[in-house]
Amino acid sequence: MEDELVPRLPVDQEEIDFHDWHIAYFKSHILKSICAKGQDAHCKEGDDYCELCTYQNALELPHLPDMVFHKNKLCLQHRDGATLEFLPMDALRLVENGKQPLQVACAQEWKESRPESLMEEKFKPFDWTFTTDYQGTPNEKFRIEKSDQHLNKFKLMQREKILFYHDLTLFEDELHDNGISSSSVKIRVMPSGFFILLRHFLRVDNVLLKIHDTRFHYEVGNDFIFKEYTKRAATYEELKNVPPAYFTIPNEIEQHMPINEKLAYNLYFK
């Protein structure tokens, strides 16, 4: 009886074999913000880079997001070799470096709040909102073709048993308390197939919102995964008639934001 009262401990890895797919997620702690060699130190070329310096050298961004879940990963592998992964570093590789497309009042304050020792150049331009167009990392075994199909929302709305589910954060930054920039991936596996939502959500308070969504839907029996990519953006002025509470809930606010771009693909794995 006592064992029944013990709460389930957090799990940092789970997996499932689903038809010809092996699906697994891995999660861990946030990337440390200080080099393993100490405060204000950096691993040098020829050293075994610590986890922080590995990221900084690979990405060459003036600063990383406040929270990078560097070991979080979702991986789907087909028995014929096709692999689809979702990785924090690959998401951050697509952040614009050398450009600063969004100038708002808090940008200067944000820069000045960052320790100078953590930046190669204090005012090196880059997209401080960490906006990314990341759409997952497929290997070369996939054959990707444009599609004129649409996401089968009706089928996805049908009630089914959930065989496997998880929600992973890849990175997150609160933009010096001026909003949020986050990248996350969710998966659910049902008897009929699996569905994945990869989302980048950006809210710069009193300025704008952006949502970049990549949805993947696999139906048992198909030789492909359907992928739909959408980009939404709207200013606060354009959303002035929307209840303010919705601005912090992506699933609510997206209903009020226009689609600026929509692309569809079939990812063939056989």
Side-chain angles (χ1 to χ4, degrees):
M1 180 63 70
E2 290 182 2
D3 289 344
E4 295 178 5
L5 301 177
V6 177
R8 183 171 180 261
L9 294 173
V11 176
D12 59 10
Q13 177 179 345
E14 285 188 298
E15 55 192 347
I16 185 175
D17 288 313
F18 178 72
H19 293 267
D20 292 334
W21 293 93
H22 181 73
I23 303 171
Y25 76 80
F26 308 85
K27 63 187 296 187
S28 186
H29 54 80
I30 299 170
L31 180 67
K32 293 181 179 179
S33 60
I34 298 173
C35 173
K37 294 186 179 297
Q39 184 79 37
D40 298 333
H42 296 281
C43 297
K44 297 178 181 177
E45 191 171 350
D47 294 343
D48 288 331
Y49 285 146
C50 69
E51 293 175 335
L52 174 63
C53 290
T54 296
Y55 257 73
Q56 289 181 333
N57 281 279
L59 297 171
E60 297 184 342
L61 292 172
H63 197 273
L64 296 175
D66 293 333
M67 293 180 284
V68 178
F69 296 86
H70 62 301
K71 291 186 178 180
N72 285 10
K73 176 172 76 168
L74 175 64
C75 180
L76 298 89
Q77 186 167 21
H78 190 266
R79 71 173 184 182
D80 291 340
T83 300
L84 178 61
E85 295 181 299
F86 300 88
L87 308 165
M89 185 178 287
D90 284 1
L92 287 167
R93 286 186 197 279
L94 296 181
V95 173
E96 290 282 5
N97 197 359
K99 295 182 181 179
Q100 195 164 355
L102 183 66
Q103 276 287 1
V104 296
C106 60
Q108 188 69 15
E109 180 185 2
W110 182 92
K111 286 179 182 177
E112 292 174 354
S113 73
R114 302 297 180 176
E116 194 165 353
S117 61
L118 296 179
M119 303 174 71
E120 293 174 9
E121 301 170 31
K122 189 169 183 180
F123 299 109
K124 182 178 180 180
F126 86 113
D127 183 0
W128 60 275
T129 68
F130 299 105
T131 300
T132 176
D133 292 335
Y134 182 56
Q135 299 174 40
T137 307
N139 71 356
E140 73 285 350
K141 295 288 186 178
F142 279 102
R143 188 177 83 257
I144 302 173
E145 297 182 1
K146 285 190 174 182
S147 174
D148 57 5
Q149 291 181 239
H150 298 280
L151 194 69
N152 191 341
K153 294 182 179 179
F154 177 75
K155 185 156 191 174
L156 288 171
M157 289 171 61
Q158 294 178 353
R159 294 182 67 87
E160 283 193 83
K161 181 180 179 180
I162 304 299
L163 306 176
F164 185 85
Y165 173 84
H166 204 69
D167 182 355
L168 280 176
T169 301
L170 302 182
F171 69 80
E172 185 173 310
D173 192 285
E174 293 185 351
L175 309 180
H176 194 58
D177 295 328
N178 286 288
I180 191 168
S181 177
S182 68
S183 181
S184 63
V185 59
K186 299 179 183 179
I187 181 170
R188 78 173 190 259
V189 181
M190 305 81 70
S192 68
F194 57 74
F195 174 71
I196 298 168
L197 171 61
L198 172 66
R199 167 169 286 172
H200 176 75
F201 176 61
L202 171 68
R203 187 189 77 249
V204 181
D205 291 336
N206 302 312
V207 181
L208 61 76
L209 294 102
K210 289 183 180 180
I211 297 178
H212 296 176
D213 282 342
T214 313
R215 292 175 169 86
F216 300 83
H217 186 200
Y218 167 69
E219 297 183 67
V220 172
N222 286 348
D223 61 351
F224 65 89
I225 301 171
F226 176 72
K227 168 185 156 184
E228 181 185 85
Y229 176 65
T230 59
K231 295 175 75 169
R232 299 174 187 264
T235 65
Y236 268 60
E237 177 63 24
E238 292 168 332
L239 299 170
K240 62 184 178 182
N241 295 321
V242 178
Y246 288 1
F247 284 54
T248 61
I249 309 172
N251 286 341
E252 292 286 353
I253 196 65
E254 73 167 330
Q255 309 300 324
H256 303 275
M257 297 171 62
I259 294 177
N260 308 112
E261 184 177 358
K262 187 173 184 178
L263 302 168
Y265 302 89
N266 288 335
L267 279 60
Y268 292 92
F269 50 80
K270 287 185 178 180

